[in-house]
Amino acid sequence: MNRRTFAGASLAALLAGTGTLHAADETPRKGGTLVVNLEPEPSSFLFNSNTAGILAAQVVEGLVEYDENFKPIPALAESWEQSPDGKTITFHLRRDVTWHDGKPFTSADVNYTVLEVTKKVNPRAGTAYRAVEAVDTPDPHTAIFRLSEPSPAIWAVLSNAEAPILPRHLYEGTPPLSNPWNTKLVGTGPFVFKEWVRGDYVLVERNPKYWRKDRPYVDRIRFRTIPDPGARAAALETGEVHYAPFSAVPPSDVERLRRLPNLVVETRGYGTFVPAFFFEFNLDRPQFRDKRVRAAFAHAIDRQALADRVWYGLAKPATGPIPSTHAELYTADVTQYAFDPRKAEALLDEAGFPRDADGIRLRVNHYTMPYGDLFKRAGEFLRESLKQVGVDLQLVNLDLAPFLRQVYGERNFDTYSTYYNSSADPQIGVLRRYWSKTILKGVAWSNGPGYSNPEADRIIEASFTEIDPAKRRALLVELQKIAQDDLPSINLLELQHFSIVSARVRGLSTVRDGHSKALRDVWLAR
């Protein structure tokens, strides 16, 4: 955090024990409209993007939240206990909670959400819930998870960010991912959905019957879509937008914005969101079944130059699938693919792809991640890198919904680039890339390449239930070695997200999962 005037207080003194951005001697002010930029615009509230998660966090809630040490604290569940063998978790639910349409929140909602939504169609939390065989509901305020085996990772995915509880009476009997309520979500949270004007804004308003009686502070939140990065930066500079999460401006603008007295550049709040940026192959394509071709692509890409030129240093080269921030599970002792265009060319020659009269060995399409111009620039860097070794990478830039349909629905692609949040535990954000049971047509952010390796599956499934930290580490080190050797995708970078925040904003969470929390504690200074 840089030092400068913050409404008469020092910015260096903003982090309190609650992990929020505020001046120590101020009393929260109620009222007003908080304006938040969301880019790209999500297609619904559920599971399809980071920005969808921010929207959903205002409306729906999880059984627990997490404190500054990422320990679970009460939310929809007031308390809980777990059996010594780890196979039974009993949640005691709040009795004073209603859905926004007035229906009571009960254990039936938990039962339905866990068994029919989280387990079946949630691309991240689903792996941690795979062991949940039943959710008993002995009364409306008790939900008992019955697990076939221990699931250590389940304690990292009980919040609204990963496993929000949905209203059974509005979802039961319909496919959850295509339910019309996904675009006008009904929840139990601090804000009530009001209006969605596509291409412009989403409006949510204070829930007057929220069970936390003194929250939220602001009257409403207007989530604006501003596709042009220059216009986004201008809106922040003028105070038209108060908060822009998830690196909403190009990294090249960060230093300039950091020097402005009315803005703060904040990198805290993303501790559980370490984006691993990678390049994926469609392993159904004949040319990519040959590992030499995949390795050639890897040797053709200068990852340090990608970090420096596109992300201006707000990234670093990845060494494997698990980011280095997961120090207890990470290893760099795996196969590496150093930048070596000559080796790339030799591998393509060996694989039977010589240059033609135009100097081209392969022509393949590449779908860029639909999260703004930054990822288009990354695609252009990749195209130029591969051009040097005779690969014509034809970029396809789509909005979010058609990108998800082409890649995860129809699987109509040669290659694509994206990032996955590694989350609080690699089981949630990393292992789904390599587990054959997450080859799920139509499920966003799953195993896009269609990678299947029985030994990788065995290791992944053993890690799900291994409660000994040393043994679990040994399993995941072996998986990292297999993944880097098989190379179904190229691990490119570990990204550092940042937020741009108006100096008027108070109460913004900066704890590890702050980016995904409801904005109920945020208020606007004059």
Side-chain angles (χ1 to χ4, degrees):
M1 181 78 70
N2 53 328
R3 290 178 178 269
R4 60 172 62 92
T5 302
F6 188 88
S10 166
L11 280 182
L14 294 176
L15 185 61
T18 54
T20 58
L21 205 61
H22 73 284
D25 59 349
E26 292 183 303
T27 300
R29 170 178 169 264
K30 289 194 173 184
T33 300
L34 177 70
V35 182
V36 179
N37 170 249
L38 286 187
E39 179 60 34
E41 180 182 31
S43 57
S44 78
F45 279 83
L46 292 184
F47 307 145
N48 63 18
S49 68
N50 305 325
T51 49
I54 292 175
L55 274 184
Q58 314 315 315
V59 179
V60 291
E61 299 177 290
L63 291 171
V64 310
E65 295 183 352
Y66 299 101
D67 66 12
E68 59 270 25
N69 298 312
F70 206 69
K71 300 298 183 185
I73 56 177
L76 289 177
E78 290 185 307
S79 62
W80 50 86
E81 56 264 359
Q82 185 171 21
S83 62
D85 64 3
K87 294 166 66 173
T88 302
I89 309 173
T90 301
F91 291 98
H92 304 284
L93 309 179
R94 294 188 182 276
R95 296 170 179 265
D96 56 347
V97 179
T98 59
W99 295 101
H100 294 158
D101 62 4
K103 300 288 187 182
F105 160 72
T106 73
S107 56
D109 299 304
V110 178
N111 172 287
Y112 170 78
T113 301
V114 170
L115 299 180
E116 299 300 324
V117 181
T118 306
K119 274 180 64 82
K120 292 184 178 180
V121 300
N122 189 318
R124 293 210 302 243
T127 60
Y129 281 73
R130 60 184 289 274
V132 179
E133 293 186 317
V135 177
D136 295 346
T137 55
D139 62 64
H141 306 293
T142 306
I144 304 172
F145 287 21
R146 304 289 185 187
L147 281 65
S148 60
E149 56 196 10
S151 178
I154 203 170
W155 288 100
V157 287
L158 289 167
S159 70
N160 63 347
E162 299 289 357
I165 304 301
L166 299 175
R168 178 176 180 169
H169 64 282
L170 297 179
Y171 277 81
E172 190 171 30
T174 68
L177 293 181
S178 58
N179 188 298
W181 288 101
N182 291 343
T183 59
K184 48 185 179 181
L185 197 58
V186 170
T188 60
F191 294 94
V192 178
F193 172 80
K194 185 69 175 179
E195 183 180 25
W196 193 331
V197 178
R198 291 286 176 178
D200 192 354
Y201 67 87
V202 179
L203 184 66
V204 297
E205 295 184 344
R206 175 192 284 130
N207 177 7
K209 298 181 179 179
Y210 189 42
W211 56 271
R212 287 183 171 95
K213 303 303 182 185
D214 60 341
R215 297 292 192 279
Y217 289 126
V218 298
D219 291 331
R220 65 192 63 83
I221 305 175
R222 184 181 294 269
F223 293 95
R224 289 190 55 193
T225 298
I226 307 175
D228 179 71
R232 287 200 296 274
L236 286 159
E237 292 180 58
T238 62
E240 193 179 334
V241 169
H242 303 121
Y243 170 48
F246 284 112
S247 309
V249 301
S252 57
D253 285 347
V254 168
E255 282 307 312
R256 178 179 64 81
L257 295 177
R258 197 190 298 273
R259 292 191 292 269
L260 297 178
N262 64 322
L263 294 177
V264 177
V265 177
E266 179 59 79
T267 58
R268 293 173 300 182
Y270 295 98
T272 60
F273 196 103
V274 181
F277 182 57
F278 47 91
F279 182 109
E280 300 267 59
F281 302 96
N282 185 341
L283 298 179
D284 290 338
R285 299 288 196 257
Q287 65 268 35
F288 296 131
R289 292 175 189 157
D290 189 328
K291 188 171 72 173
R292 292 172 298 184
V293 174
R294 305 196 298 272
F297 277 52
H299 283 298
I301 300 168
D302 186 339
R303 291 171 293 129
Q304 186 63 60
L306 176 63
D308 294 341
R309 295 177 193 171
V310 177
W311 269 271
Y312 288 79
L314 288 164
K316 67 178 184 178
T319 60
I322 294 181
S324 59
T325 49
H326 289 292
E328 72 284 3
L329 299 170
Y330 165 81
T331 182
D333 184 22
V334 295
T335 303
Q336 298 296 322
Y337 301 87
F339 176 54
D340 189 343
R342 289 186 178 180
K343 187 167 186 177
E345 297 226 48
L347 286 168
L348 289 169
D349 283 335
E350 289 177 21
F353 293 99
R355 289 181 181 265
D356 64 16
D358 296 322
I360 304 299
R361 299 173 181 275
L362 280 169
R363 287 181 172 84
V364 298
N365 63 40
H366 183 79
Y367 287 78
T368 60
M369 189 175 193
Y371 276 23
D373 287 348
L374 179 63
F375 293 96
K376 292 178 183 177
R377 289 186 57 211
E380 291 162 2
F381 180 95
L382 295 170
R383 179 182 61 192
E384 291 305 309
S385 298
L386 290 163
K387 181 180 179 180
Q388 303 307 309
V389 300
V391 175
D392 180 13
L393 197 69
Q394 300 162 352
L395 301 185
V396 183
N397 300 316
L398 298 175
D399 290 336
L400 181 61
F403 172 86
L404 296 177
R405 184 172 61 251
Q406 288 290 103
V407 172
Y408 299 102
E410 299 176 10
R411 300 200 76 249
N412 183 24
F413 69 94
D414 296 328
T415 66
Y416 70 97
S417 52
T418 190
Y419 71 72
Y420 282 3
N421 163 22
S422 66
S423 197
D425 189 288
Q427 179 173 328
I428 304 155
V430 176
L431 304 191
R432 59 192 155 118
R433 292 174 54 196
Y434 301 99
W435 190 27
S436 69
K437 292 179 183 176
T438 54
I439 302 173
L440 301 169
K441 188 173 182 179
V443 177
W445 320 118
S446 52
N447 182 342
Y451 174 66
S452 179
N453 179 327
E455 181 61 11
D457 285 350
R458 182 193 67 79
I459 292 170
I460 288 169
E461 290 167 15
S463 76
F464 287 162
T465 59
E466 181 52 69
I467 59 176
D468 183 301
K471 292 179 180 178
R472 188 167 189 251
R473 171 182 165 77
L475 287 166
L476 293 181
V477 164
E478 185 61 24
L479 177 69
Q480 291 169 80
K481 292 181 177 182
I482 290 172
Q484 279 292 99
D485 187 60
D486 280 358
L487 204 67
S489 64
I490 305 169
N491 295 292
L492 295 172
L493 300 175
E494 297 177 24
L495 308 182
Q496 172 62 67
H497 271 308
F498 58 88
S499 301
I500 308 294
V501 190
S502 165
R504 293 184 59 202
V505 170
R506 307 291 195 272
L508 185 70
S509 178
T510 57
V511 301
R512 285 181 62 190
D513 65 334
H515 72 279
S516 64
K517 290 188 180 297
L519 298 170
R520 64 172 185 264
D521 297 320
V522 170
W523 56 281
L524 295 171
R526 294 188 186 278

